[in-house]
Amino acid sequence: MAVLELTDAQISTWVASFILPLFRVTAVLMTMPIFGTTLVPARIRLYFALAITVVIVPGLPPMPEVNALDLKALLLIAEQIIIGALFGMALQLFFQIFVIAGQIVAIQMGMAFASMVDPANGVNVAVVSQFLTMLVTLLFLAINGHLVVFEVLTESFTTLPVGGGLLVNHFWDLAGRLGWVLGAAMLLVLPAITALLVVNIAFGVMTRAAPQLNIFSIGFPLTLVLGLVIFWITLADIIPHYHSLASEALQWLRELARAR
């Protein structure tokens, strides 16, 4: 009866072919929006990462042969975690556009005090920002953005192979996108800010024309009501802006992964 014999090299190769991709997939799921929030338990994310890794491993290029206890293996694991975290942070920047936009509108309309605990991140955010975050999450799932992310993640094992090293321009690209986030948030809420500015100027003219008018008791509730109306009107034009920003964010993710 023949006995199956396995060498240390074979075992290390099999372990590396699964463990190294698992760390990259897990890092993405732990940092990306929707799946990487506290609403999804860490155990569920880990199970999801295991399932994705099992599915994509057969189609991945060969992994380098490493010993699980070598320093090289630890460096490769750190490399995969950093690459996955970069992908997740790139998507986080896209979602933060709408969070910042909601904060700007809330300040202009006098609702900055109306904040609530964001159950996804565990921090206090304006109610307007929370509403936009929920809306963007639903739209992202509706356009299958999460499937595009998993597709880019799978292609990244070919375009950014394990052991290929990290490039400095990946970090510079991520830092350079901070300006894009602020600019996109300002452009998104520019109509609402302009309309609210006109309202505030009108209140200033009223105060100048009738000094006896108590603008503080009248202006605050009117600004709040008009701000809600203006925000509701500007929501009618949010879909084209969302598609443009989502396309740009997903294309940047492909460029970050050097995918097609």
Side-chain angles (χ1 to χ4, degrees), residues 6-252:
L6 297 176
T7 62
D8 293 340
Q10 290 175 324
I11 296 175
S12 299
T13 301
W14 290 347
V15 171
S17 63
F18 181 81
I19 294 297
L20 294 178
L22 176 63
F23 276 99
R24 184 181 297 192
V25 175
T26 305
V28 172
L29 293 180
M30 291 294 178
T31 55
M32 71 177 292
I34 304 175
F35 298 101
T37 61
T38 55
L39 293 176
V40 182
R43 182 176 298 179
I44 300 300
R45 281 177 275 174
L46 181 58
Y47 291 157
F48 196 27
L50 287 171
I52 294 176
T53 307
V54 169
V55 172
I56 67 175
V57 158
L60 298 182
M63 298 294 161
E65 296 183 3
V66 293
N67 191 340
L69 300 179
D70 285 348
L71 178 61
K72 180 181 178 180
L74 297 178
L75 294 177
L76 289 177
I77 290 174
E79 177 190 73
Q80 305 317 303
I81 294 175
I82 294 175
I83 292 176
L86 284 176
F87 291 167
M89 291 302 298
L91 294 172
Q92 287 285 359
L93 291 179
F94 166 65
F95 275 70
Q96 290 305 311
I97 291 176
F98 298 90
V99 175
I100 296 174
Q103 292 280 4
I104 295 174
V105 172
I107 292 173
Q108 292 295 320
M109 65 192 297
M111 287 190 64
F113 66 92
S115 61
M116 62 178 295
V117 177
D118 183 6
N121 300 312
V123 296
N124 285 334
V125 297
V127 176
V128 181
S129 297
Q130 184 64 20
F131 173 77
L132 288 178
T133 301
M134 295 170 60
L135 179 62
V136 170
T137 300
L138 295 176
L139 290 175
F140 189 77
L141 295 175
I143 65 173
N144 292 328
H146 57 296
L147 299 181
V148 177
V149 174
F150 295 147
E151 178 187 357
V152 174
L153 175 62
T154 304
E155 292 185 11
S156 69
F157 287 99
T158 303
T159 56
L160 294 174
V162 176
L166 293 173
L167 298 177
V168 179
N169 58 355
H170 286 85
F171 300 96
W172 284 113
D173 289 343
L174 193 63
R177 283 286 164 165
L178 296 177
W180 171 71
V181 171
L182 296 176
M186 288 298 298
L187 290 176
L188 188 65
V189 298
L190 188 59
I193 292 177
T194 305
L196 289 172
L197 179 61
V198 173
V199 171
N200 290 326
I201 292 175
F203 284 137
V205 173
M206 291 170 57
T207 305
R208 187 68 175 176
Q212 69 277 10
L213 183 65
N214 190 355
I215 196 64
F216 292 102
S217 61
I218 299 176
F220 179 75
L222 283 179
T223 303
L224 184 59
V225 173
L226 291 176
L228 290 174
V229 173
I230 292 170
F231 178 69
W232 173 62
I233 294 174
T234 54
L235 280 179
D237 197 38
I238 196 174
I239 298 298
H241 292 289
Y242 173 80
H243 280 296
S244 176
L245 293 173
S247 300
E248 188 173 355
L250 293 176
Q251 180 61 33
W252 177 54

